[in-house]
Amino acid sequence: MTPYALTVDAGVRDLRTADRLLHALAAELALPEGTFGCTHLVREGRPRVALSLAVPSQPLLSTVRERLAVHDHEVTPGIPDAKGRAVLYPGVTELTGTLSVADVLDRSAITRVTVLGGPGEPDPATPLMTQDHVRPHWQDGELILTAMPAVGGTLVPFEVPEPTPCCADH
């Protein structure tokens, strides 16, 4: 991950809202393709989801910081932790429909695909139904997508686009 990063704390409490805010900021700030936008769960104080933006250069980082000043968000240098959930990353727009695991790795910044409960990495030819929602996580400096087995020998990303809220009936 690039050292040109900052954290945006907008007081967001859920991942879907954080995803929408990252996409809105990327569009408003006209962030280039090499940008990484991640979510980070913050548990100290009031639980919330912070955002991080990592851009390819220091001048661009300064511009982003200046343009974020018009928002009522807390902006600090660096990232909150090394385990962010990537929403914006190189190649994310290419991950639509059903692709082979090899295609996912070739077209994006994702470096590895793992299968939940599986003994190792899947065969590169295994189809992955992206559901147009691919959210890998940073682990030990690698962007890793966790997938689950699905019907017909396919895989799906572990995170689904429209999750059922835990405790929805409370």
Side-chain angles (χ1 to χ4, degrees):
M1 188 125 149
T2 178
Y4 309 115
L6 53 82
T7 295
V8 178
D9 189 342
V12 174
R13 296 191 48 107
D14 66 272
L15 291 174
R16 289 175 66 190
T17 302
D19 284 7
R20 285 192 295 270
L21 180 56
L22 270 172
H23 284 291
L25 289 173
E28 178 186 331
L29 301 172
L31 297 175
E33 171 68 21
T35 298
F36 286 86
C38 298
T39 60
H40 304 264
L41 300 178
V42 179
R43 291 178 173 85
E44 68 259 358
R46 64 190 190 333
R48 61 201 184 281
V49 181
L51 313 176
S52 67
L53 292 171
V55 295
S57 71
Q58 179 62 47
L60 181 56
L61 183 67
S62 297
T63 301
V64 167
R65 184 179 291 124
E66 288 170 15
R67 293 184 68 201
L68 282 171
V70 301
H71 296 278
D72 191 25
H73 307 316
E74 181 181 332
V75 178
T76 55
I79 58 174
D81 60 49
K83 297 185 184 260
R85 171 183 160 272
V87 176
L88 306 172
Y89 51 92
V92 67
T93 59
E94 300 294 318
L95 303 181
T96 60
T98 300
L99 304 168
S100 70
V101 168
D103 285 340
V104 169
L105 299 175
D106 288 343
R107 295 178 184 188
S108 72
I110 297 171
T111 56
R112 193 158 47 103
V113 175
T114 62
V115 179
L116 193 64
E121 295 178 20
D123 182 297
T126 304
L128 180 107
M129 297 184 300
T130 69
Q131 304 172 74
D132 301 341
H133 186 86
V134 181
R135 301 292 188 264
H137 289 252
W138 287 102
Q139 296 175 21
D140 299 322
E142 282 189 279
L143 197 54
I144 300 174
L145 176 65
T146 301
M148 300 182 303
V151 176
T154 63
L155 297 173
V156 293
F158 177 71
E159 183 179 327
V160 296
E162 298 292 331
T164 301
C166 177
C167 309
D169 60 342
H170 298 302

